[in-house]
């Protein structure tokens, strides 16, 4: 269970002149949930956006250092970012389903990667993804209705299903529950528990309780630095660092 | 001491009430100003529309005079049972004169001329066409409705003051008496003015029409659309989605905005210099007009098109990228379809502006007097707004109503296009909300 899936070494990120991450060294284990916590603007999201090179989209963003997935450097120029993102899916803070039907939302990824040649195969992928995202029962009768017509929690699960549809190895979740009510949040957390059997999951969260509930490993970021990382239990019960202690007890942040 | 306190309190309360009242009054005043401006704007629009309608609506009817024509084969110089080709060759001048002179007794050449002047200069053509359409009429007498001259038309529509002294009137007393006689015998008829839509321009108002201008405008706008739409859409997609954000793209962006504000006549000068003088494209043609209008319309489409691309939330792009779509796929599968309604309505409004554009077309020679209806985009032609300009300068009374009627046509096209733009935007945007 403790095979290292993702390894970052001396990762620095700059937005123009501003440095957002300072020498982050963080190992993420396979088929485990790693939670990243820390106050706003501390670089958690920046970090996970490095893992699928989502920062490439931002013109002024510059990344130095290494991130390896299964021992392969992903920041190299030779690596095709499209195939990287096929392996590393992402779920965003705000549910962002495409303004298309539920079916098209899920089938889009497989289609562009040439998976699911026939209609039947696609149907199967769509059903499997929705089942894994615990959404199938709720939407199976209205797959042709727009995905934007679902409730917030359903939309987020639709986005998770969309991420699953291309069968990635890693799923990055950037505060997936921050826009959801407690019931929807509980459902997503349940789902994360289920998904970690198949996928390596990295989740950014502002909720300590959520980190405790879903993760096995927790990293605490502050001002772009990784302050402390360790087993979730340890971080929340007996952190080594004073700052971590202060943050989890709500003294700042 | 306590009295002072009390007074202070009262004053405080007073000022509070006063301030509240002032705030309410300010709001009331603002509402009133707003309402007043809307009413004023509506009033101006109403005056404009009323003015155009009252002047222009009569142009859709024309006055005709019922006459008896005897298609005399001898006079035409053809034998009985002549074929269509032979009729086409025949000379209808004599038969026309004879027909028209029969309508009222005259004593001398001057009176004859005055009588003939009551009919359109195209009377000969109308008599000829009636026979060509039905060659059985040869050798028979039929009653035909011959279009009246512009003067009689205007007199009959009540646009011509007949109580002026004769020397200041275009219609003589003798002609007036003929008119009254025709009127008494119910020979004067009003019917739908098909010439207005079918004919090209003419020096004679009664047979002048916007047919040529319609076709010219159609070709110009078509060429404008074909050139400007793809270029503008591709340019905006590139600038908005792919181009790096640096000084060069900033410079381009500023200049696109500048170009949209350049007076249209400048584009006319450009076209005159480059398209006509240098490349030597044919003058006065819808081809040149289309290219000129396309130049002018480009920035006006690029701006709304970029705005609608910008309005697509970045989360959609990220969502697509995150499942492994390439930049190109994320743009063309997701962003562009979402921006399409805004792009289309921007394009239609840009084209509507181009349709009403006059100045550059005058410079490239579309102001020329063109009688023929263009059959291809490289035939000399007019266009609707230029036709308005041309007719508004003409002295004849008949052109006054024709000018307004042309404006009505132009306005209705613009209104239809704008409605189409609104409809497209609403229809496609609703789909996902």
């Amino acid at each position: 269970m403790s095979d290292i899936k993702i390894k970052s070494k001396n990762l620095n990120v700059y937005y123009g002149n501003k440095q957002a991450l300072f020498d982050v060294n963080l190992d993420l284990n396979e088929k485990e949930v790693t939670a990243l916590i820390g106050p706003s603007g501390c670089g958690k999201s920046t970090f996970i956006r490095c893992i699928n090179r989502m920062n490439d989209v931002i013109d002024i963003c510059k990344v130095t250092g290494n991130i390896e997935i299964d021992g392969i450097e992903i920041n190299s120029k030779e690596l095709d970012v499209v195939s990287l993102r096929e392996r590393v899916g992402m779920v965003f803070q705000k549910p962002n389903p495409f303004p298309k039907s539920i079916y098209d939302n899920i089938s889009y990824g497989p289609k562009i990667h040439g998976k699911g040649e026939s209609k039947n195969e696609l149907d199967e992928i769509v059903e499997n993804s929705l089942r894994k995202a615990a959404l199938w029962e709720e939407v199976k009768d209205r797959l042709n209705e727009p995905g934007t017509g679902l409730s917030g929690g359903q939309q987020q699960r639709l986005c998770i299903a969309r991420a699953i549809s291309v069968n990635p190895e890693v799923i990055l979740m950037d505060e997936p529950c921050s826009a959801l009510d407690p019931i929807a949040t509980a459902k997503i957390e349940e789902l994360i528990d289920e998904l970690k059997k198949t996928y390596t999951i990295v989740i950014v969260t502002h909720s300590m309780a959520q980190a405790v509930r879903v993760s096995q490993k927790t990293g605490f970021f502050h001002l772009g630095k990784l302050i402390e990382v360790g087993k979730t239990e340890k971080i929340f019960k007996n952190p080594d660092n004073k700052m971590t202690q202060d943050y989890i007890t709500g003294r700042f942040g | 001491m306590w009295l002072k306190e009390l007074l202070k309190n009262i004053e405080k309360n007073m000022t509070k009430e006063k301030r509240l009242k002032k705030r309410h009054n300010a709001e009331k005043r603002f509402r009133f100003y707003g309402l007043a401006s809307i009413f004023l704007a509506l009033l101006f629009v109403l005056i404009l529309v009323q003015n155009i309608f009252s002047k222009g609506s009569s142009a859709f009817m024309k006055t005709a005079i019922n006459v008896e024509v005897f298609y005399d084969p001898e006079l035409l110089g053809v034998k009985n049972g002549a074929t269509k080709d032979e009729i086409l060759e025949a000379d209808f001048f004599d038969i026309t004169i004879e027909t028209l002179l029969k309508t009222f007794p005259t004593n001398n050449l001057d009176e004859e001329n005055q009588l003939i002047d009551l009919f359109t200069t195209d009377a000969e053509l109308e008599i000829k066409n009636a026979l060509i359409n039905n060659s059985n009429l040869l050798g028979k007498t039929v009653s035909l409705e011959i279009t009246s001259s512009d003067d009689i038309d205007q007199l009959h529509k009540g646009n011509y003051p007949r109580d002026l002294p004769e020397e200041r009137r275009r219609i003589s007393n003798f002609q007036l008496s003929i008119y009254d006689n025709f009127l008494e015998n119910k020979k004067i008829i009003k019917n739908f003015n098909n010439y207005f839509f079918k004919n090209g321009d003419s020096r004679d108002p009664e047979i002048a029409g916007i047919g040529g201008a319609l076709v010219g405008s159609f070709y110009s706008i078509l060429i404008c659309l074909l050139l400007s739409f793809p270029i503008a859409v591709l340019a905006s997609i590139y600038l908005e989605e792919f181009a790096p954000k640096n000084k060069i793209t900033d410079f381009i962006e500023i200049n696109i905005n500048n170009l949209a504000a350049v007076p249209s006549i400048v584009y006319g000068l450009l076209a005159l210099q480059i398209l006509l003088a240098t490349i030597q494209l044919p003058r006065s043609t819808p081809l040149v007009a289309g290219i000129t209008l396309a130049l002018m319309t480009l920035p006006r489409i690029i701006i709304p098109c970029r705005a609608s691309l910008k309005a697509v939330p970045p989360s959609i792009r990220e969502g697509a990228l995150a499942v492994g779509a390439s930049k190109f796929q994320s743009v063309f599968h997701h962003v562009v379809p979402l921006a399409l309604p805004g792009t289309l309505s921007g394009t239609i409004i840009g084209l509507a502006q181009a349709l009403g554009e006059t100045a550059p077309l005058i410079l490239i020679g579309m102001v020329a007097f063109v009688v023929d209806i263009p059959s291809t985009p490289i035939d000399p032609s007019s266009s609707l707004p230029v036709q308005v300009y041309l007719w508004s300068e003409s002295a004849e009374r008949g052109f006054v109503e024709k000018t307004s009627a042309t404006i009505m046509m132009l306005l209705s096209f613009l209104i239809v296009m704008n409605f189409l733009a609104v409809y497209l935007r609403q229809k496609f945007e609703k789909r996902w909300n």
Side-chain angles (χ1 to χ4, degrees), chain A residues 49 52 54 57 59 82 85-86 88-90 92 96-101 108-109 112-113 146 148 162 166, chain B residues 243-245 314-327 329-330 333-334 337-338 431-433:
Chain A
R49 287 169 68 95
N52 67 346
M54 216 49 189
V57 187
D59 279 335
V82 166
R85 289 183 189 144
E86 192 185 339
V88 184
M90 188 162 189
F92 296 87
N96 60 344
F98 302 133
K100 299 178 186 240
S101 71
Y108 179 69
I112 57 173
H113 294 302
T148 41
R162 184 174 70 189
V166 291
Chain B
K245 302 272 172 287
S315 65
I316 296 293
R317 296 178 179 82
E318 289 193 324
L321 291 176
V323 290
S326 64
K327 179 84 193 169
Q329 286 171 326
S330 86
H333 293 170
H334 299 283
L338 286 175
R431 239 160 87 184
W432 302 110
N433 290 334

